[in-house]
Amino acid sequence: MGRGKIEIKRIENSSNRQVTYSKRRNGIIKKAKEISVLCDAKNLSNELDRIKKENENMQIELRHLKGEDITSLQFRELMRIEEALENGLTGIRNRQASSFIPTS
Amino acid sequence: MGRGKIEIKRIENSSNRQVTYSKRRNGIIKKAKEISVLCDAKNLSNELDRIKKENENMQIELRHLKGEDITSLQFRELMRIEEALENGLTGIRNRQASSFIPTS
DNA sequence: CCTGCTATGCTTAGGCC
DNA sequence: CGGCCTAAGCATAGCAG
């Protein structure tokens, strides 16, 4: 490509590396958009965004269940979380209790 | 490209669409591998795998906290979850209580 | 850091196995 | 589906601003 062929190995010069990165990254993104239109595919980048968003939501939910970052929550939200926690505890305790059923 | 230019819009013929998909997909993967080597980047696909894994782990944790899929858990694991739930409840109830502090 | 240029050479549509 | 082939068309390395 370009003015000459290059070997595929780490580019040591950091500014060249950065320039190549941003040029090639744009190229890849363009191709990804094209394939998503041409082939009706969900395209790597959209999927990445979707999964990242899902990830973020689960992190928030986990923190809430652990009692973190809850200062800004509304009362209804707190009630919902409390109920989820109580249900979880009930499930866990039933499971623990069943572990103790004598085998004879 | 190829024998002629094509417009970037959904390819209606499904077998052509599939062929173009697999050819272009390989091209994108090759480029992604190249950029990851050239620029020491984590490459889209590795990041996707990492995030998917993280996602999966959080889903399991959330289900456990909700008391689901716990039949196969060891006792120590159940204890850990119970403790997390109790801590969460304490946090939530403190927060709820503080909502009721009279303002005068 | 970007943008634009341009010579090279890589990618790929369409055909055919 | 995957491979091979070829001609068009694209992407891009190396510079310059």
Side-chain angles (χ1 to χ4, degrees):
Chain A
M1 321 150 187
R3 301 307 181 83
K5 188 173 181 170
I6 61 162
E7 196 186 344
I8 301 302
K9 66 170 197 178
R10 184 186 146 97
I11 296 169
E12 294 302 336
N13 180 299
S14 85
S15 59
N16 285 353
R17 190 168 65 239
Q18 177 56 41
V19 171
T20 292
Y21 178 72
S22 81
K23 285 183 173 184
R24 279 177 172 256
R25 181 172 184 280
N26 285 337
I28 292 175
I29 289 172
K30 183 180 172 190
K31 292 265 183 209
K33 284 181 182 166
E34 287 184 357
I35 201 178
S36 84
V37 174
L38 289 170
C39 307
D40 207 13
K42 53 192 162 190
N43 149 348
L44 246 38
S45 140
N46 282 351
E47 196 182 356
L48 193 59
D49 287 348
R50 186 184 60 71
I51 291 179
K52 275 184 174 170
K53 186 68 194 164
E54 204 173 298
N55 221 316
E56 196 179 296
N57 290 339
M58 284 198 293
Q59 275 172 356
I60 291 170
E61 176 77 3
L62 274 174
R63 280 201 300 274
H64 286 170
L65 286 173
K66 288 173 181 173
E68 298 161 8
D69 300 339
I70 54 175
T71 51
S72 63
L73 294 180
Q74 300 300 308
F75 192 70
R76 291 181 66 83
E77 202 44 17
L78 290 171
M79 292 286 284
R80 185 186 68 73
I81 295 170
E82 183 185 21
E83 193 181 326
L85 289 167
E86 281 174 342
N87 288 340
L89 262 186
T90 303
I92 288 288
R93 287 183 172 144
N94 285 343
R95 172 75 183 90
Q96 287 174 333
S98 73
S99 300
F100 290 124
I101 294 174
T103 51
S104 67
Chain B
M1 318 154 187
R3 301 309 181 83
K5 188 173 183 171
I6 60 163
E7 195 185 343
I8 302 302
K9 66 170 198 177
R10 184 186 146 97
I11 296 169
E12 293 302 335
N13 180 300
S14 86
S15 61
N16 285 352
R17 188 168 66 240
Q18 178 56 44
V19 169
T20 292
Y21 177 72
S22 90
K23 285 182 173 183
R24 280 176 171 257
R25 181 173 182 279
N26 286 338
I28 292 174
I29 289 173
K30 183 180 174 190
K31 292 263 180 210
K33 283 180 182 167
E34 287 184 358
I35 201 177
S36 83
V37 173
L38 289 171
C39 306
D40 206 13
K42 53 193 160 187
N43 132 3
L44 246 39
S45 132
N46 282 353
E47 196 184 357
L48 192 60
D49 287 347
R50 186 185 61 71
I51 291 179
K52 275 184 174 171
K53 186 67 193 167
E54 205 174 298
N55 222 316
E56 197 179 295
N57 290 338
M58 286 198 295
Q59 274 172 357
I60 291 171
E61 175 77 3
L62 275 175
R63 279 202 299 274
H64 286 170
L65 286 173
K66 289 175 179 171
E68 298 161 8
D69 298 340
I70 54 175
T71 51
S72 63
L73 294 179
Q74 300 299 310
F75 192 70
R76 292 181 65 84
E77 201 46 15
L78 290 171
M79 292 286 283
R80 184 187 69 73
I81 294 170
E82 183 184 21
E83 194 180 326
L85 289 167
E86 281 173 343
N87 288 340
L89 263 186
T90 304
I92 288 286
R93 287 182 172 146
N94 286 343
R95 172 76 183 91
Q96 286 175 334
S98 72
S99 299
F100 290 123
I101 294 172
T103 51
S104 68

